Amino acid sequence: MVQKYQSPIRVYKHPFELVMEAYERRFPTCHLIPMFVDSEVLEETESEDGSVHNVQRRCKLDVDAPRLLKRIAGVDYVYFSQENTLNKRERTLHIESHNETFSNRVIIHELCSYSAHPENEDWTCFEQSASLDIKSFFGFESTVEKIAMKQYASSIKKGKEIIEFYLNQLEEEGISHVPRWTPSLDAPSSSVTTKPVCATPKLLQLELNDVTNQPDDQMENQTGTPDDKLDADYIKRYLGDLTPLQESCLIRLRQWLQESHKGKIPKDEHILRFLRARDFNMEKAREILCQSLTWRKQHQVDYLLETWTSPQVLSDYYTGGWHHHDKEGRPLYILRLGQMDTKGLVRALGEESLLRHVLSINEEGLRRCEENTKVFGRPISCWTCLVDLEGLNMRHLWRPGVKALLRIIEVVEANYPETLGRLLILRAPRVFPVLWTLVSPFIDENTRKKFLIYAGNDYQGPGGLLDYIDKEVIPDFLGGECMCEVPEGGLVPKSLYRTAEELENEDISLWTETIYQSASVFKGAPHEVVLEIIDAASVITWDFDVCKGDVVFHLYHSKLGQHSSITTPGGNNVQLIDKSWTLGLDYSMVESPLTCKEGESVQGSHVTRWPGFYILQWRFHTMPGSASTNLPRVDDVLASLQVSSHKCKVMYYTEVIGSEDFRGSMTSLESSHSGFSQLSHATSNHSQSSSMISR
């Protein structure tokens, strides 16, 4: 496989002629390059008018390779052939070199060029590229490739330093100007012409944009413009310190996009994020980047900030927002997850609206990173997220909500890699390990390493918030003095909930997967759902809404399933418990019954202790009449009207989670308070709701 390398444009703020004078001092040897042992001129020619000077050299290199490898190869030195073409008229120098040693086994080809800066004639540009093709090398192909990569990276890094060393030497000798070449009056004109190889360096183009106030969109124009090539100073100023090989990957991937991608290409910062996400593996980074570009185009994500209008329910109840920046200048996003009614938001908006809101947050984060890069004068490519979990409890483990969260994580991980610099999780309660166990497998390993988790209130001491956030910007609800405008959240009113039928009409929605089922509950004919549990210590979870009437919810266990007709229900209002069964003998009640009124939403979970069959039952509830008075009460009248209908309706969702999915978090789950978890009118006045867990 041919390995290719491309360096960014390096700019010397000195005239071309002075740089050429410094370049010539590298020969015949250079003490700054220990591996460069010697060189000899094989041939030297000049055009008739003296404008073009051609030199062919043979260079002797002592490659930094293991002694054993040199003995196996039978050589101590490696020889390269170099041809330099200096065009004084065009002010360019082209350097082409290739290896003579082992040329039948290894092919190394390098191109370098110096040229006058296209925008400033008193500056000089330098570019360098190389290719390596190892056909065979005594079984040491991988070792030779690593050595060549190391040598190439070292030469790029030292190249600019060497020229600057000799430029300083010339200055110390009092040589600060070398006159440009001019043709003599009697010399014949030369027919040799050379096209300038240097495009306008990106840094200078950005400076011009700043002066003219030209917009810099998220996506750049396609190939052809002079500022497509990257400048080394621009990379350091706007992208950060990269190794020569990392710079090469960025430039080559950018060039590939210019040549093959139709339309616009991403900004350099965007390309760099995908390279970092794949440890600068060009092929892997190119694959996920192209997939993301297709996704962005399909969903018009580039225009999301201009077209997306956040629904009012999000503005009122989504407990997240931007808040100043951290000590490194990264934008700071605060999410008060423990105060958020995740179920209410999903039920009121649907998954798709939540996803678009999260995408708009990520797009806004990219924009803020660019702004902070300009403000702080250093590259800022990611942001910090602070998540406050005070108030987190079992109602946040609502399974449809968790599934929506997992989908959002999947989309963000695929399209916004390396945008999260640090995640600070504060006031993590005992139930947090359960949520973490559910979502952590879907988070990239590199991202998980950026998580810092603090339990309790000890988060402002050593290693806490003050290490990452200035004291004056710590939010007031975390004990700081800075007022934070992030909404406090609260329960989303049920009047804003949308029905499953309404959400099914959307193109993409959580509810199109038929997560919820509807059931009618008649007087004398309860609705039951049977779940077969193979492994003890599994977790049964449920969530249901009482749409009409009042019901009583039970959870039973039976070991007689294999000898009875218990089967998975195939229709509505199916009764599975045989009327001949005796409670406490044939089946047992594993949770106390719960009376649920019309309009209530109920969530709960149960850790199973035995294998067998577990039965969830919704039974019609009849309110008992009052014997204290002969006059009818209003409640009794309403109850009689309800009884006359003889029908209730529930919409439910249930799931069994294997104990292995908790991986050590079962202890935290079992330590929660016992009882039913209800996010309903009955519990709306409490700051936290309990969870139904059997011990």
Side-chain angles (χ1 to χ4, degrees):
M1 181 178 179
V2 179
Q3 295 285 350
K4 296 182 178 181
Y5 310 96
Q6 175 70 55
S7 72
I9 299 173
R10 284 173 166 76
V11 178
Y12 301 98
K13 297 184 179 181
H14 299 277
F16 175 80
E17 289 72 23
L18 190 63
V19 172
M20 290 299 97
E21 186 72 21
Y23 173 79
E24 288 298 324
R25 295 200 172 197
R26 296 178 52 173
F27 302 101
T29 60
C30 178
H31 70 281
L32 297 174
I33 312 177
M35 63 176 292
F36 189 49
V37 179
D38 193 14
S39 67
E40 60 175 322
V41 176
L42 301 179
E43 184 178 352
E44 187 171 3
T45 59
E46 192 172 66
S47 62
E48 293 184 14
D49 64 352
S51 63
V52 179
H53 185 205
N54 186 276
V55 179
Q56 294 186 22
R57 290 187 177 91
R58 191 168 189 254
C59 302
K60 182 179 180 182
L61 306 180
D62 183 9
V63 179
D64 183 17
R67 190 67 186 173
L68 177 62
L69 184 60
K70 289 184 177 181
R71 290 184 61 183
I72 293 175
V75 298
D76 288 325
Y77 301 101
V78 174
Y79 291 91
F80 272 77
S81 176
Q82 182 188 85
E83 181 176 358
N84 292 6
T85 302
L86 173 64
N87 190 317
K88 300 176 183 178
R89 183 193 301 274
E90 301 290 342
R91 304 180 76 198
T92 62
L93 171 65
H94 293 281
I95 307 167
E96 185 173 356
S97 60
H98 62 271
N99 62 305
E100 295 179 0
T101 308
F102 301 120
S103 58
N104 61 329
R105 296 180 178 272
V106 180
I107 300 175
I108 301 174
H109 187 233
E110 185 178 48
L111 295 173
C112 301
S113 63
Y114 291 86
S115 60
H117 197 291
E119 302 292 338
N120 189 329
E121 61 181 12
D122 291 328
W123 289 0
T124 305
C125 296
F126 171 74
E127 289 185 80
Q128 183 177 6
S129 63
S131 63
L132 169 67
D133 185 8
I134 302 177
K135 300 182 180 301
S136 65
F137 203 88
F138 312 106
F140 291 91
E141 291 79 11
S142 178
T143 302
V144 172
E145 181 177 339
K146 291 179 181 178
I147 293 173
M149 291 174 63
K150 180 181 177 181
Q151 299 287 357
Y152 175 76
S154 177
S155 67
I156 290 178
K157 188 175 181 180
K158 274 190 168 294
K160 187 174 182 180
E161 298 174 2
I162 293 170
I163 293 296
E164 289 176 343
F165 171 83
Y166 287 118
L167 286 170
N168 292 333
Q169 191 179 78
L170 289 170
E171 185 178 357
E172 292 172 359
E173 296 174 7
I175 304 175
S176 59
H177 176 72
V178 175
R180 294 188 185 182
W181 176 88
T182 55
S184 60
L185 296 177
D186 57 347
S189 60
S190 174
S191 60
V192 180
T193 59
T194 311
K195 182 182 290 187
V197 297
C198 179
T200 306
K202 192 70 175 281
L203 182 61
L204 179 60
Q205 188 66 36
L206 284 174
E207 292 172 352
L208 293 174
N209 287 347
D210 291 339
V211 172
T212 58
N213 294 319
Q214 294 179 357
D216 194 12
D217 296 329
Q218 172 67 22
M219 308 292 281
E220 297 177 346
N221 289 329
Q222 200 182 352
T223 164
T225 57
D227 64 317
D228 281 334
K229 294 187 178 181
L230 299 184
D231 174 77
D233 293 333
Y234 157 79
I235 290 177
K236 185 175 182 180
R237 166 65 179 83
Y238 290 94
L239 305 179
D241 291 324
L242 303 176
T243 67
L245 296 180
Q246 290 173 345
E247 291 176 340
S248 174
C249 289
L250 172 61
I251 295 169
R252 290 167 52 217
L253 183 52
R254 179 185 171 87
Q255 289 177 342
W256 180 85
L257 288 170
Q258 291 168 353
E259 295 169 359
S260 61
H261 190 71
K262 296 180 180 180
K264 295 181 178 180
I265 63 171
K267 282 188 172 183
D268 304 316
E269 303 95 301
H270 198 70
I271 300 174
L272 187 57
R273 288 188 184 97
F274 283 84
L275 283 167
R276 283 174 171 152
R278 291 299 179 266
D279 296 323
F280 287 87
N281 182 305
M282 274 277 296
E283 295 302 319
K284 293 181 179 179
R286 182 170 62 186
E287 180 181 357
I288 62 173
L289 176 58
C290 289
Q291 291 174 355
S292 179
L293 292 178
T294 301
W295 171 83
R296 294 183 68 91
K297 183 177 181 180
Q298 179 182 356
H299 298 283
Q300 298 292 295
V301 180
D302 293 337
Y303 310 101
L304 187 61
L305 290 180
E306 291 77 23
T307 58
W308 166 252
T309 301
S310 179
Q312 188 61 42
V313 66
L314 278 175
S315 301
D316 294 338
Y317 297 99
Y318 189 87
T319 56
W322 296 100
H323 179 78
H324 299 281
H325 55 78
D326 67 6
K327 287 188 174 182
E328 299 178 54
R330 296 169 174 171
L332 176 62
Y333 190 83
I334 293 180
L335 181 64
R336 303 181 68 177
L337 183 59
Q339 304 299 317
M340 187 183 298
D341 180 7
T342 52
K343 176 180 179 178
L345 288 174
V346 174
R347 290 295 306 275
L349 295 169
E351 180 186 0
E352 193 67 17
S353 292
L354 275 179
L355 174 59
R356 288 197 172 273
H357 184 63
V358 173
L359 295 182
S360 70
I361 293 172
N362 281 270
E363 290 295 308
E364 174 67 15
L366 295 177
R367 188 187 66 80
R368 287 174 178 262
C369 285
E370 291 183 12
E371 290 180 351
N372 286 16
T373 295
K374 298 176 182 178
V375 170
F376 292 97
R378 62 177 182 273
I380 296 175
S381 60
C382 53
W383 56 82
T384 293
C385 184
L386 187 154
V387 181
D388 179 26
L389 295 183
E390 185 182 46
L392 186 80
N393 51 57
M394 290 301 294
R395 67 182 171 86
H396 292 91
L397 299 184
W398 177 56
R399 293 295 291 172
V402 172
K403 287 190 174 183
L405 174 62
L406 294 181
R407 184 199 169 197
I408 291 173
I409 291 175
E410 182 181 10
V411 173
V412 171
E413 284 282 308
N415 298 284
Y416 299 92
E418 295 298 317
T419 53
L420 180 65
R422 183 178 293 113
L423 181 67
L424 303 171
I425 299 177
L426 306 184
R427 302 197 278 194
R430 288 180 299 177
V431 75
F432 171 71
V434 183
L435 179 62
W436 175 247
T437 301
L438 293 173
V439 302
S440 60
F442 296 86
I443 301 175
D444 181 76
E445 182 180 356
N446 291 333
T447 304
R448 291 201 300 267
K449 294 177 181 177
K450 302 172 184 178
F451 285 37
L452 298 174
I453 304 173
Y454 302 87
N457 294 316
D458 186 20
Y459 52 82
Q460 292 197 21
L465 275 187
L466 291 177
D467 285 0
Y468 308 104
I469 303 174
D470 289 326
K471 182 178 180 181
E472 55 268 23
V473 301
I474 293 180
D476 51 336
F477 63 86
L478 293 176
E481 300 178 357
C482 185
M483 296 300 295
C484 183
E485 297 181 356
V486 175
E488 295 183 359
L491 295 175
V492 177
K494 289 187 174 61
S495 60
L496 299 179
Y497 282 14
R498 300 166 68 185
T499 65
E501 289 76 13
E502 290 175 333
L503 291 172
E504 282 177 359
N505 293 328
E506 295 186 352
D507 293 335
I508 303 175
S509 171
L510 173 71
W511 310 94
T512 59
E513 300 174 2
T514 62
I515 286 180
Y516 279 85
Q517 298 185 49
S518 296
S520 296
V521 181
F522 297 93
K523 186 177 181 180
H527 179 78
E528 297 172 349
V529 174
V530 64
L531 301 172
E532 184 177 8
I533 302 299
I534 305 299
D535 298 324
S538 297
V539 181
I540 300 174
T541 67
W542 57 83
D543 176 88
F544 65 88
D545 293 324
V546 183
C547 303
K548 179 181 178 181
D550 297 346
V551 299
V552 180
F553 177 71
H554 295 84
L555 181 65
Y556 299 106
H557 171 260
S558 173
K559 297 181 180 179
L560 300 179
Q562 60 269 32
H563 304 300
S564 68
S565 59
I566 287 186
T567 57
T568 302
N572 207 345
N573 53 284
V574 178
Q575 187 169 357
L576 305 166
I577 297 178
D578 194 289
K579 293 182 179 180
S580 64
W581 287 7
T582 303
L583 182 64
L585 180 63
D586 300 314
Y587 68 108
S588 59
M589 183 184 299
V590 294
E591 291 289 349
S592 301
L594 179 68
T595 301
C596 310
K597 296 185 177 298
E598 182 175 319
E600 287 190 350
S601 297
V602 180
Q603 300 166 51
S605 57
H606 174 84
V607 181
T608 64
R609 299 176 61 183
W610 314 281
F613 291 86
Y614 286 78
I615 303 168
L616 288 74
Q617 183 191 79
W618 291 268
R619 182 179 298 173
F620 187 93
H621 174 63
T622 304
M623 294 184 63
S626 174
S628 60
T629 177
N630 293 326
L631 295 176
R633 296 184 310 167
V634 174
D635 289 346
D636 293 337
V637 173
L638 293 176
S640 64
L641 291 175
Q642 175 182 297
V643 170
S644 65
S645 68
H646 301 291
K647 179 180 178 181
C648 299
K649 186 175 182 180
V650 295
M651 189 168 64
Y652 67 91
Y653 166 82
T654 183
E655 182 178 0
V656 176
I657 306 172
S659 59
E660 67 277 3
D661 293 335
F662 284 89
R663 293 195 296 272
S665 297
M666 189 62 68
T667 302
S668 298
L669 185 64
E670 290 180 337
S671 67
S672 300
H673 188 273
S674 179
F676 276 94
S677 172
Q678 300 182 62
L679 183 57
S680 62
H681 177 72
T683 59
S684 61
N685 295 325
H686 297 79
S687 60
Q688 294 185 8
S689 59
S690 59
S691 58
M692 174 185 173
I693 302 294
S694 177
R695 306 226 184 177

